[in-house]
Amino acid sequence: MDTIEVSNLNRQFLFRKSHVGQSKAKVARDAVLRFRPHISITPYHANVKDPDFKVDFFKQFNVVLNGLDNLDARRHVNRLCLAADVPLIESGTTGFLGQVTVHIKGKTECYECHPKPAPKTYPVCTITSTPSKFIHCIVWAKDLLFAKLFGDKNQDNDLNVRSSDATSSSEHAEDVFERKKGEGIELYGRRIYDHVFGYNIEVALSNEETWKNRNRPRPIYSRDVLPFEQIQQNGNVDKNLVADDPSSVSAMASLGLKSPQDIWSLKDNSRIFFESLKLFLVKREKEIGNLTFDKDDQLAVEFVTAAANIRASSFGIPLHSLFEAKGIAGNIVHAVATTNAIIAGLIVIEAIKVLQNDANSYRMTYCLEHPSKKMLLMPVDPFEPNKSCYVCSETPLLLEVNTHCSKLRDVVEKIVKAKLGMSCPLVMHGSALLYEVGDDLDEDMVANYAANLDKVLSGFPSPITGGTILTVEDLHQELLCNINIKHREEFDEEKEPDGMVLSGWTQSPVKEKNDNASINNGASASHAPSQAVSLEGKEGASASHAPSQAVSLEGKEDSEIEIVPVGTGSIIPGKKRKLLDISEDTVPDLSSITDETSSKNKLEEIDDDDDGDDDVVMLDDGCSDGIKKKRLR
């Protein structure tokens, strides 16, 4: 269901300015048909996880080309391709880097054979009380302050009070974000400003233990930065002439600030803060209560930039320009059209090999930013399936859990859905069906399964205890795996916050990174719906339309930034596979790369889009007969 945005126009060759707001799938079809009018293309402006796109849908194609923008959708398509026994060609780009990989059931590793990077998480206390990096201020401004002011005001977050004894200050903080009846916009803005940048900082400073080994922040009040008279005379709302177009509203325009690459002073950031707040209340009042941050919403980016910079100033963190802040808040790695074109070409080359059943020529190819021995493209023979992969090798998993305390809901939400990525799960214990989802369930069944979710594992008629086996299945993905249960009494609340540990399933450890680097969302990209585009006809393989996308590197954040409570930042350790070694002194022997290789420069697989470009392309060359393939080297 993805639509074309202005930011998409500089990274690909099918869309034009007149297409902004239209379906990517439909516009892409029209563009391709202009230079290949005799091929058949069926566009689907829909979510790839919709029930319409089940295994039978995938079985009609000879190859699937993936260009999705989030890990969840990629895993979903990977499983459908395995179930349908259809080859999958994965791809991704970020800036100058990119890769194309081929996945054949039983012959090469599947997309999930090796761990993908975990979403970047930050403890709540770091975000709300002790930020040390600009990214912390961005997360605070975007996910807490912006959401509190313009999103659902009933949501709980830690902005009202930051102290060890919140009850002592609850009277002061009560309804602080609610605009009082008859309260002027300037007074309301000043009250919010003083609360979040002044009062909350003073409350945090009252805990002396926190600041023994940290630099103490400075409370900032509006009266010290911008006298009330200047707030009243701050901007010229009339400069935002196109009242019916929310995207045209800009605090920078009102204030006469032009360059997004300038680093604003504390005073200018405060002016932007007040002006953007006023514009939301005056020009976009109907949207308040339902807004979520969008990197293409100019006013939202201006507000978040200003708020993050004011907070950064309080904590002695260097300020950033709007251009830099937008890149961090919007998870943007600026795309390079040339890289996208190279990767698109490589996708087509591998697709042709698959359609010609040329298994010995399959390659996983990586595009480098800097040449190594005059090479920018590094081909690698595909790896064989990982025998311990629970997706393609059906290896049993082990779940350590306190069966006397944990409920079935904990297992379904924290393990089956969150870690195994099943969207329509079914849970069985022996022949007993404990949980199921589906549109065809009657009310009694729904009520029964809902009641089961709140039962303790050992409390079922056939108790789930140590030594028993749960079978979990996703009917849409046609994926089934067994989970061996091991009873365990106690868990470390900090290192094992879920109160259970899954073995045989691994995530890559999260790495720290530079503040200016992209933090991928996908979903938020993570939450972007995925569109499916099917191409049918013999000439489809030669069409030059291949997905172009900007995605994050493995080792960087793979999804949206997530704020987690203290103690939940631990990631189950997983060994990250080094796909390619690039030595400064020698050309690597690409045919003998192993998991144990190491060097200063490691090429890592790109997993996720940052910009919401998401496409699945299916090709049918007219040959529906099964294709037998030899085991790859």
Side-chain angles (χ1 to χ4, degrees):
M1 294 189 296
D2 205 11
T3 56
I4 299 165
E5 299 174 355
V6 174
S7 60
N8 302 143
L9 301 181
N10 73 330
R11 66 193 62 187
Q12 52 66 59
F13 309 98
L14 299 179
F15 307 145
R16 298 295 181 264
K17 192 172 183 179
S18 60
H19 296 140
V20 171
Q22 298 182 43
S23 164
K24 287 183 178 178
K26 295 177 180 178
V27 172
R29 172 191 179 274
D30 294 342
V32 173
L33 288 180
R34 280 198 293 272
F35 56 85
R36 281 288 187 272
H38 303 299
I39 65 175
S40 173
I41 303 175
T42 305
Y44 294 90
H45 186 61
N47 191 323
V48 75
K49 298 183 73 174
D50 284 348
D52 293 337
F53 307 117
K54 292 184 178 180
V55 174
D56 287 342
F57 176 82
F58 279 73
K59 282 183 177 179
Q60 64 184 307
F61 304 105
N62 291 85
V63 63
V64 173
L65 316 180
N66 241 10
L68 292 163
D69 73 342
N70 66 86
L71 179 61
D72 185 51
R74 288 175 185 259
R75 289 163 67 173
H76 182 77
V77 171
N78 175 63
R79 296 171 186 189
L80 289 175
C81 286
L82 287 171
D85 198 9
V86 175
L88 170 65
I89 298 178
E90 264 288 354
S91 61
T93 71
T94 180
F96 295 102
L97 305 177
Q99 97 279 326
V100 175
T101 57
V102 183
H103 306 279
I104 311 292
K105 183 178 180 178
K107 304 300 180 183
T108 73
E109 63 179 11
C110 80
Y111 177 72
E112 298 176 74
C113 269
H114 295 278
K116 299 298 183 285
K120 181 63 178 177
T121 60
Y122 296 103
V124 169
C125 61
T126 298
I127 299 301
T128 57
S129 295
T130 57
S132 58
K133 301 177 179 179
F134 189 69
I135 179 62
H136 299 156
C137 300
I138 285 287
V139 174
W140 176 89
K142 181 179 74 166
D143 293 348
L144 295 183
L145 184 59
F146 184 89
K148 189 71 174 178
L149 286 172
F150 309 119
D152 183 2
K153 294 185 181 296
N154 295 320
Q155 69 177 336
D156 292 327
N157 67 34
D158 291 75
L159 279 180
N160 279 34
V161 175
R162 287 308 305 157
S163 74
S164 57
D165 182 11
T167 58
S168 65
S169 304
S170 60
E171 183 177 351
H172 178 97
E174 186 178 1
D175 296 325
V176 68
F177 291 96
E178 287 292 332
R179 187 178 173 190
K180 299 175 183 178
K181 187 176 181 180
E183 185 177 27
I185 293 177
E186 290 79 10
L187 284 173
Y188 174 63
R190 186 167 184 159
R191 182 161 58 82
I192 297 299
Y193 186 106
D194 290 344
H195 180 82
V196 297
F197 301 120
Y199 173 76
N200 277 359
I201 300 299
E202 289 193 4
V203 171
L205 285 170
S206 65
N207 187 347
E208 294 292 339
E209 288 293 322
T210 303
W211 311 106
K212 280 188 174 180
N213 300 309
R214 293 185 176 94
N215 293 326
R216 295 172 66 88
R218 171 175 62 98
I220 300 175
Y221 288 93
S222 59
R223 63 177 179 269
D224 300 325
V225 180
L226 212 58
F228 186 65
E229 295 76 15
Q230 292 187 28
I231 297 176
Q232 289 180 306
Q233 304 168 3
N234 191 31
N236 184 357
V237 177
D238 294 335
K239 289 186 178 180
N240 290 277
L241 298 176
V242 189
D244 295 332
D245 183 7
S247 63
S248 69
V249 178
S250 167
M252 289 180 65
S254 295
L255 298 173
L257 299 175
K258 296 181 179 180
S259 175
Q261 297 189 354
D262 289 343
I263 297 178
W264 303 323
S265 65
L266 176 59
K267 182 176 180 179
D268 281 340
N269 276 293
S270 299
R271 293 174 65 206
I272 289 287
F273 178 90
F274 288 118
E275 187 65 16
S276 56
L277 177 61
K278 179 168 67 174
L279 288 170
F280 270 117
L281 295 174
V282 173
K283 297 284 188 178
R284 300 175 61 177
E285 183 179 11
K286 293 181 180 179
E287 300 176 68
I288 294 177
N290 299 304
L291 280 169
T292 56
F293 178 82
D294 184 343
K295 64 180 172 60
D296 293 311
D297 184 334
Q298 175 68 15
L299 192 60
V301 172
E302 291 170 344
F303 178 86
V304 167
T305 299
N309 273 329
I310 298 168
R311 186 166 176 82
S313 179
S314 178
F315 282 85
I317 299 169
L319 308 189
H320 286 59
S321 68
L322 181 136
F323 179 81
E324 295 168 322
K326 180 179 180 179
I328 298 171
N331 316 309
I332 297 172
V333 174
H334 295 286
V336 178
T338 308
T339 308
N340 290 341
I342 292 171
I343 295 301
L346 291 170
I347 291 169
V348 174
I349 290 172
E350 294 305 321
I352 292 173
K353 294 177 186 176
V354 170
L355 294 174
Q356 294 177 342
N357 193 22
D358 189 7
N360 291 328
S361 297
Y362 295 164
R363 293 293 183 271
M364 302 194 302
T365 305
Y366 298 88
C367 183
L368 312 181
E369 181 173 0
H370 303 290
S372 174
K373 296 297 180 180
K374 300 182 179 180
M375 294 177 65
L376 279 174
L377 298 180
M378 304 294 283
V380 184
D381 286 336
F383 294 96
E384 294 182 357
N386 180 1
K387 294 181 180 179
S388 63
C389 176
Y390 74 91
V391 176
C392 67
S393 299
E394 300 182 359
T395 300
L397 302 170
L398 175 66
L399 179 64
E400 297 179 60
V401 60
N402 189 324
T403 57
H404 302 314
C405 298
S406 294
K407 298 179 180 180
L408 180 62
R409 182 184 303 278
D410 299 323
V411 176
V412 171
E413 297 297 331
K414 298 177 181 179
I415 302 299
V416 178
K417 291 183 178 181
K419 287 186 168 58
L420 300 184
M422 295 188 178
S423 54
C424 297
L426 176 153
V427 182
M428 296 185 68
H429 180 211
S431 60
L433 182 57
L434 306 182
Y435 178 74
E436 183 182 11
V437 294
D439 297 332
D440 56 343
L441 302 179
D442 59 41
E443 292 183 3
D444 291 340
M445 296 173 69
V446 171
N448 180 55
Y449 293 143
N452 282 348
L453 287 175
D454 291 322
K455 290 182 180 179
V456 174
L457 295 178
S458 60
F460 283 90
S462 178
I464 302 171
T465 56
T468 59
I469 299 175
L470 287 180
T471 300
V472 295
E473 182 178 5
D474 190 303
L475 300 178
H476 286 182
Q477 300 173 352
E478 294 194 9
L479 172 66
L480 182 147
C481 63
N482 294 317
I483 302 178
N484 296 318
I485 302 298
K486 179 180 179 181
H487 176 76
R488 179 173 156 189
E489 286 289 335
E490 297 180 352
F491 293 86
D492 187 313
E493 291 185 2
E494 182 174 343
K495 295 181 180 179
E496 301 161 330
D498 289 338
M500 54 187 74
V501 176
L502 184 67
S503 304
W505 169 91
T506 55
Q507 266 182 209
S508 289
V510 175
K511 293 181 180 180
E512 285 296 327
K513 58 190 283 186
N514 187 285
D515 292 349
N516 293 331
S518 167
I519 309 297
N520 200 0
N521 100 343
S524 275
S526 291
H527 304 293
S530 308
Q531 75 192 37
V533 186
S534 72
L535 276 65
E536 298 181 41
K538 190 168 184 179
E539 294 182 64
S542 64
S544 62
H545 169 52
S548 62
Q549 64 274 353
V551 301
S552 76
L553 286 172
E554 182 177 337
K556 296 182 182 179
E557 289 68 17
D558 140 284
S559 186
E560 67 180 47
I561 296 170
E562 176 186 358
I563 303 176
V564 297
V566 177
T568 65
S570 299
I571 302 298
I572 298 174
K575 181 179 179 182
K576 185 166 67 178
R577 221 156 126 266
K578 298 159 188 173
L579 296 177
L580 189 60
D581 238 346
I582 305 169
S583 169
E584 295 179 356
D585 301 317
T586 61
V587 176
D589 180 2
L590 298 178
S591 64
S592 61
I593 296 172
T594 69
D595 290 353
E596 302 302 323
T597 57
S598 62
S599 84
K600 295 180 181 178
N601 303 303
K602 291 180 278 289
L603 189 61
E604 300 170 336
E605 186 175 350
I606 298 166
D607 293 321
D608 228 357
D609 271 341
D610 74 273
D611 68 344
D613 292 351
D614 47 340
D615 304 277
V616 182
V617 181
M618 290 87 164
L619 301 181
D620 186 336
D621 67 349
C623 301
S624 58
D625 296 337
I627 300 175
K628 294 184 179 180
K629 299 177 177 61
K630 298 179 180 178
R631 188 172 185 80
L632 298 183
R633 294 172 293 174

